[in-house]
Short mmCIF file of all heavy atoms in Angstrom, two decimals:
data_model
loop_
_atom_site.label_atom_id
_atom_site.label_comp_id
_atom_site.label_asym_id
_atom_site.label_seq_id
_atom_site.Cartn_x
_atom_site.Cartn_y
_atom_site.Cartn_z
N VAL A 1 5.53 -16.68 -13.97
CA VAL A 1 4.86 -15.42 -13.51
C VAL A 1 3.36 -15.79 -13.50
O VAL A 1 2.77 -16.11 -14.40
CB VAL A 1 5.15 -14.30 -14.51
CG1 VAL A 1 4.31 -13.04 -14.11
CG2 VAL A 1 6.58 -13.97 -14.60
N GLU A 2 2.82 -15.65 -12.22
CA GLU A 2 1.43 -15.98 -12.00
C GLU A 2 0.56 -14.72 -12.20
O GLU A 2 1.08 -13.54 -11.92
CB GLU A 2 1.18 -16.58 -10.61
CG GLU A 2 1.91 -17.80 -10.22
CD GLU A 2 3.10 -17.58 -9.39
OE1 GLU A 2 3.64 -16.46 -9.43
OE2 GLU A 2 3.42 -18.38 -8.65
N SER A 3 -0.75 -14.82 -12.49
CA SER A 3 -1.58 -13.69 -12.54
C SER A 3 -2.95 -14.30 -12.36
O SER A 3 -3.20 -15.57 -12.45
CB SER A 3 -1.53 -12.97 -13.88
OG SER A 3 -1.86 -13.77 -15.00
N GLY A 4 -3.99 -13.36 -12.05
CA GLY A 4 -5.38 -13.79 -12.08
C GLY A 4 -5.94 -13.92 -10.63
O GLY A 4 -7.11 -14.15 -10.43
N GLY A 5 -5.14 -13.69 -9.62
CA GLY A 5 -5.65 -13.74 -8.27
C GLY A 5 -6.54 -12.56 -7.94
O GLY A 5 -6.61 -11.58 -8.78
N GLY A 6 -7.18 -12.63 -6.76
CA GLY A 6 -8.02 -11.44 -6.43
C GLY A 6 -8.95 -11.83 -5.34
O GLY A 6 -8.83 -12.85 -4.64
N LEU A 7 -10.01 -10.94 -5.13
CA LEU A 7 -11.04 -11.10 -4.11
C LEU A 7 -12.29 -11.55 -4.78
O LEU A 7 -12.80 -10.95 -5.76
CB LEU A 7 -11.17 -9.83 -3.39
CG LEU A 7 -12.39 -9.76 -2.33
CD1 LEU A 7 -12.16 -10.76 -1.19
CD2 LEU A 7 -12.53 -8.33 -1.78
N VAL A 8 -12.86 -12.62 -4.26
CA VAL A 8 -14.19 -13.09 -4.83
C VAL A 8 -15.08 -13.59 -3.68
O VAL A 8 -14.56 -13.98 -2.68
CB VAL A 8 -13.85 -14.23 -5.92
CG1 VAL A 8 -13.23 -15.43 -5.17
CG2 VAL A 8 -15.02 -14.59 -6.65
N GLN A 9 -16.33 -13.53 -3.96
CA GLN A 9 -17.26 -14.05 -2.96
C GLN A 9 -17.36 -15.63 -3.07
O GLN A 9 -17.07 -16.15 -4.11
CB GLN A 9 -18.66 -13.42 -3.13
CG GLN A 9 -18.75 -12.01 -2.71
CD GLN A 9 -20.17 -11.47 -2.83
OE1 GLN A 9 -20.99 -12.05 -3.59
NE2 GLN A 9 -20.49 -10.49 -2.10
N ALA A 10 -17.74 -16.16 -1.98
CA ALA A 10 -17.98 -17.67 -1.94
C ALA A 10 -18.86 -18.06 -2.95
O ALA A 10 -19.88 -17.34 -3.24
CB ALA A 10 -18.46 -18.06 -0.55
N GLY A 11 -18.58 -19.16 -3.68
CA GLY A 11 -19.43 -19.56 -4.79
C GLY A 11 -18.93 -19.09 -6.17
O GLY A 11 -19.41 -19.51 -7.16
N GLY A 12 -18.02 -18.03 -6.09
CA GLY A 12 -17.48 -17.48 -7.30
C GLY A 12 -16.45 -18.23 -7.97
O GLY A 12 -16.05 -19.31 -7.55
N SER A 13 -15.87 -17.59 -9.07
CA SER A 13 -14.88 -18.37 -9.87
C SER A 13 -13.69 -17.36 -10.06
O SER A 13 -13.87 -16.16 -10.11
CB SER A 13 -15.38 -18.81 -11.20
OG SER A 13 -16.40 -19.79 -11.01
N LEU A 14 -12.53 -17.96 -10.25
CA LEU A 14 -11.30 -17.29 -10.62
C LEU A 14 -10.51 -18.17 -11.58
O LEU A 14 -10.59 -19.40 -11.44
CB LEU A 14 -10.45 -16.75 -9.53
CG LEU A 14 -10.89 -15.60 -8.65
CD1 LEU A 14 -9.93 -15.53 -7.47
CD2 LEU A 14 -10.83 -14.36 -9.48
N ARG A 15 -9.76 -17.56 -12.51
CA ARG A 15 -8.78 -18.38 -13.31
C ARG A 15 -7.42 -17.80 -13.11
O ARG A 15 -7.16 -16.59 -13.41
CB ARG A 15 -9.18 -18.30 -14.77
CG ARG A 15 -8.25 -19.33 -15.57
CD ARG A 15 -8.69 -19.45 -16.96
NE ARG A 15 -8.13 -18.47 -17.79
CZ ARG A 15 -7.92 -18.51 -19.14
NH1 ARG A 15 -8.19 -19.66 -19.78
NH2 ARG A 15 -7.41 -17.47 -19.81
N LEU A 16 -6.53 -18.71 -12.64
CA LEU A 16 -5.18 -18.28 -12.44
C LEU A 16 -4.36 -18.66 -13.69
O LEU A 16 -4.58 -19.72 -14.33
CB LEU A 16 -4.47 -18.95 -11.23
CG LEU A 16 -5.29 -18.76 -9.94
CD1 LEU A 16 -4.49 -19.38 -8.79
CD2 LEU A 16 -5.43 -17.25 -9.64
N SER A 17 -3.38 -17.91 -14.06
CA SER A 17 -2.51 -18.17 -15.18
C SER A 17 -1.05 -18.16 -14.66
O SER A 17 -0.62 -17.44 -13.83
CB SER A 17 -2.69 -17.14 -16.31
OG SER A 17 -3.95 -17.07 -16.80
N CYS A 18 -0.21 -19.03 -15.24
CA CYS A 18 1.18 -19.11 -15.01
C CYS A 18 1.95 -19.21 -16.35
O CYS A 18 1.85 -20.13 -17.03
CB CYS A 18 1.53 -20.35 -14.16
SG CYS A 18 3.26 -20.57 -13.92
N ALA A 19 2.55 -18.01 -16.66
CA ALA A 19 3.35 -17.97 -17.87
C ALA A 19 4.77 -18.35 -17.59
O ALA A 19 5.43 -17.80 -16.72
CB ALA A 19 3.33 -16.60 -18.43
N ALA A 20 5.29 -19.37 -18.36
CA ALA A 20 6.66 -19.84 -18.11
C ALA A 20 7.51 -19.35 -19.22
O ALA A 20 7.09 -19.32 -20.40
CB ALA A 20 6.57 -21.36 -18.06
N SER A 21 8.76 -19.19 -18.90
CA SER A 21 9.79 -18.80 -19.98
C SER A 21 11.08 -19.37 -19.53
O SER A 21 11.32 -19.72 -18.43
CB SER A 21 9.86 -17.26 -20.16
OG SER A 21 10.21 -16.66 -18.86
N GLY A 22 11.96 -19.49 -20.52
CA GLY A 22 13.31 -20.04 -20.32
C GLY A 22 13.41 -21.42 -20.90
O GLY A 22 12.78 -21.79 -21.88
N SER A 23 14.19 -22.29 -20.30
CA SER A 23 14.55 -23.57 -20.77
C SER A 23 13.47 -24.54 -20.43
O SER A 23 13.55 -25.40 -19.50
CB SER A 23 15.89 -24.06 -20.17
OG SER A 23 16.91 -23.22 -20.40
N MET A 24 12.37 -24.52 -21.16
CA MET A 24 11.16 -25.34 -20.90
C MET A 24 11.32 -26.83 -21.33
O MET A 24 10.52 -27.69 -20.85
CB MET A 24 9.95 -24.76 -21.55
CG MET A 24 9.54 -23.39 -21.04
SD MET A 24 9.11 -23.53 -19.20
CE MET A 24 7.73 -24.64 -19.37
N PHE A 25 12.29 -27.16 -22.19
CA PHE A 25 12.28 -28.50 -22.70
C PHE A 25 12.64 -29.54 -21.70
O PHE A 25 12.38 -30.80 -21.89
CB PHE A 25 13.36 -28.58 -23.84
CG PHE A 25 14.80 -28.40 -23.44
CD1 PHE A 25 15.62 -29.46 -23.08
CD2 PHE A 25 15.31 -27.11 -23.25
CE1 PHE A 25 16.91 -29.33 -22.70
CE2 PHE A 25 16.63 -26.97 -22.87
CZ PHE A 25 17.42 -28.06 -22.62
N ARG A 26 13.18 -29.15 -20.55
CA ARG A 26 13.46 -30.17 -19.48
C ARG A 26 12.29 -30.26 -18.44
O ARG A 26 12.48 -30.99 -17.44
CB ARG A 26 14.75 -29.90 -18.76
CG ARG A 26 15.97 -30.08 -19.71
CD ARG A 26 17.31 -30.00 -18.97
NE ARG A 26 18.41 -30.24 -19.92
CZ ARG A 26 19.67 -30.26 -19.43
NH1 ARG A 26 19.96 -30.04 -18.22
NH2 ARG A 26 20.65 -30.49 -20.29
N ILE A 27 11.28 -29.49 -18.58
CA ILE A 27 10.11 -29.42 -17.59
C ILE A 27 9.30 -30.60 -17.84
O ILE A 27 8.73 -30.83 -18.97
CB ILE A 27 9.39 -28.18 -17.72
CG1 ILE A 27 10.29 -27.00 -17.32
CG2 ILE A 27 8.22 -28.20 -16.78
CD1 ILE A 27 10.88 -27.05 -16.02
N SER A 28 9.12 -31.44 -16.82
CA SER A 28 8.29 -32.66 -16.96
C SER A 28 6.89 -32.51 -16.30
O SER A 28 6.02 -33.28 -16.65
CB SER A 28 9.02 -33.83 -16.31
OG SER A 28 9.27 -33.55 -14.93
N ALA A 29 6.73 -31.55 -15.41
CA ALA A 29 5.46 -31.35 -14.85
C ALA A 29 5.32 -29.90 -14.33
O ALA A 29 6.39 -29.26 -13.95
CB ALA A 29 5.33 -32.27 -13.58
N MET A 30 4.11 -29.47 -14.32
CA MET A 30 3.89 -28.16 -13.71
C MET A 30 2.62 -28.22 -12.83
O MET A 30 1.75 -29.14 -12.98
CB MET A 30 3.64 -27.10 -14.84
CG MET A 30 4.75 -26.86 -15.68
SD MET A 30 4.61 -25.41 -16.83
CE MET A 30 4.55 -24.13 -15.76
N GLY A 31 2.51 -27.37 -11.96
CA GLY A 31 1.41 -27.43 -11.02
C GLY A 31 1.19 -26.18 -10.18
O GLY A 31 1.88 -25.19 -10.34
N TRP A 32 0.10 -26.26 -9.33
CA TRP A 32 -0.26 -25.14 -8.49
C TRP A 32 -0.19 -25.67 -7.04
O TRP A 32 -0.62 -26.74 -6.72
CB TRP A 32 -1.65 -24.61 -8.77
CG TRP A 32 -1.69 -23.89 -10.08
CD1 TRP A 32 -2.00 -24.42 -11.31
CD2 TRP A 32 -1.41 -22.49 -10.33
NE1 TRP A 32 -1.88 -23.52 -12.22
CE2 TRP A 32 -1.56 -22.30 -11.71
CE3 TRP A 32 -1.07 -21.47 -9.51
CZ2 TRP A 32 -1.37 -20.96 -12.28
CZ3 TRP A 32 -0.83 -20.26 -10.08
CH2 TRP A 32 -1.10 -19.94 -11.40
N PHE A 33 0.42 -24.90 -6.14
CA PHE A 33 0.40 -25.10 -4.78
C PHE A 33 -0.21 -23.89 -4.05
O PHE A 33 -0.42 -22.86 -4.77
CB PHE A 33 1.84 -25.31 -4.20
CG PHE A 33 2.52 -26.58 -4.51
CD1 PHE A 33 2.85 -26.88 -5.85
CD2 PHE A 33 2.78 -27.51 -3.59
CE1 PHE A 33 3.42 -28.14 -6.13
CE2 PHE A 33 3.32 -28.68 -3.81
CZ PHE A 33 3.67 -29.09 -5.14
N ARG A 34 -0.60 -23.96 -2.82
CA ARG A 34 -1.13 -22.93 -2.15
C ARG A 34 -0.66 -23.00 -0.67
O ARG A 34 -0.40 -24.08 -0.14
CB ARG A 34 -2.67 -22.78 -2.18
CG ARG A 34 -3.37 -23.97 -1.40
CD ARG A 34 -4.88 -23.85 -1.75
NE ARG A 34 -5.60 -24.92 -1.04
CZ ARG A 34 -6.88 -25.18 -1.19
NH1 ARG A 34 -7.64 -24.39 -1.98
NH2 ARG A 34 -7.60 -26.18 -0.53
N GLN A 35 -0.62 -21.78 -0.06
CA GLN A 35 -0.27 -21.64 1.37
C GLN A 35 -1.09 -20.65 1.95
O GLN A 35 -1.09 -19.51 1.68
CB GLN A 35 1.23 -21.29 1.42
CG GLN A 35 1.75 -21.36 2.85
CD GLN A 35 3.31 -21.25 2.88
OE1 GLN A 35 4.01 -20.92 1.94
NE2 GLN A 35 3.85 -21.75 4.02
N ALA A 36 -1.83 -21.13 3.01
CA ALA A 36 -2.65 -20.26 3.87
C ALA A 36 -1.90 -19.83 5.03
O ALA A 36 -0.88 -20.52 5.43
CB ALA A 36 -3.97 -20.94 4.24
N PRO A 37 -2.22 -18.72 5.67
CA PRO A 37 -1.60 -18.22 6.85
C PRO A 37 -1.46 -19.31 7.88
O PRO A 37 -2.48 -19.91 8.26
CB PRO A 37 -2.39 -17.00 7.27
CG PRO A 37 -3.08 -16.54 6.07
CD PRO A 37 -3.35 -17.78 5.20
N GLY A 38 -0.23 -19.54 8.40
CA GLY A 38 -0.07 -20.51 9.51
C GLY A 38 -0.07 -21.92 9.09
O GLY A 38 0.05 -22.84 9.91
N LYS A 39 -0.17 -22.18 7.77
CA LYS A 39 -0.21 -23.60 7.29
C LYS A 39 0.87 -23.86 6.34
O LYS A 39 1.49 -22.96 5.72
CB LYS A 39 -1.60 -23.82 6.58
CG LYS A 39 -2.74 -23.70 7.55
CD LYS A 39 -4.09 -24.18 6.81
CE LYS A 39 -5.27 -24.18 7.76
NZ LYS A 39 -6.52 -24.70 7.03
N GLN A 40 1.11 -25.12 6.14
CA GLN A 40 2.17 -25.51 5.15
C GLN A 40 1.65 -25.37 3.68
O GLN A 40 0.44 -25.48 3.47
CB GLN A 40 2.57 -26.99 5.45
CG GLN A 40 3.31 -27.18 6.69
CD GLN A 40 3.92 -28.63 6.88
OE1 GLN A 40 3.33 -29.53 6.40
NE2 GLN A 40 4.99 -28.86 7.56
N ARG A 41 2.66 -25.23 2.86
CA ARG A 41 2.31 -25.13 1.45
C ARG A 41 1.87 -26.52 1.00
O ARG A 41 2.43 -27.53 1.30
CB ARG A 41 3.55 -24.76 0.57
CG ARG A 41 3.24 -24.36 -0.84
CD ARG A 41 4.42 -23.91 -1.55
NE ARG A 41 4.76 -22.62 -1.00
CZ ARG A 41 5.78 -21.72 -1.46
NH1 ARG A 41 6.37 -22.16 -2.67
NH2 ARG A 41 6.10 -20.66 -0.86
N GLU A 42 0.78 -26.65 0.23
CA GLU A 42 0.23 -27.86 -0.20
C GLU A 42 -0.11 -27.87 -1.66
O GLU A 42 -0.43 -26.88 -2.23
CB GLU A 42 -1.17 -28.11 0.58
CG GLU A 42 -2.31 -27.12 0.32
CD GLU A 42 -3.58 -27.46 0.90
OE1 GLU A 42 -3.63 -28.47 1.60
OE2 GLU A 42 -4.55 -26.68 0.76
N LEU A 43 -0.04 -29.12 -2.21
CA LEU A 43 -0.39 -29.32 -3.63
C LEU A 43 -1.83 -29.04 -3.85
O LEU A 43 -2.69 -29.65 -3.16
CB LEU A 43 0.09 -30.66 -4.07
CG LEU A 43 -0.33 -31.10 -5.52
CD1 LEU A 43 0.39 -30.25 -6.64
CD2 LEU A 43 -0.13 -32.56 -5.74
N VAL A 44 -2.15 -28.36 -4.97
CA VAL A 44 -3.51 -28.13 -5.37
C VAL A 44 -3.83 -28.99 -6.61
O VAL A 44 -4.80 -29.78 -6.59
CB VAL A 44 -3.88 -26.64 -5.67
CG1 VAL A 44 -5.28 -26.44 -6.19
CG2 VAL A 44 -3.63 -25.78 -4.43
#
């Protein structure tokens, strides 16, 4: 579950959070991706 997005002016800051639950013991990596309109999802 992600949170922390919003509207900000250029030069500003935001902090995104991702709360994970469930069977975490097999998780080897976590990350953030993004997808802009008309573009492919990319690793951040």
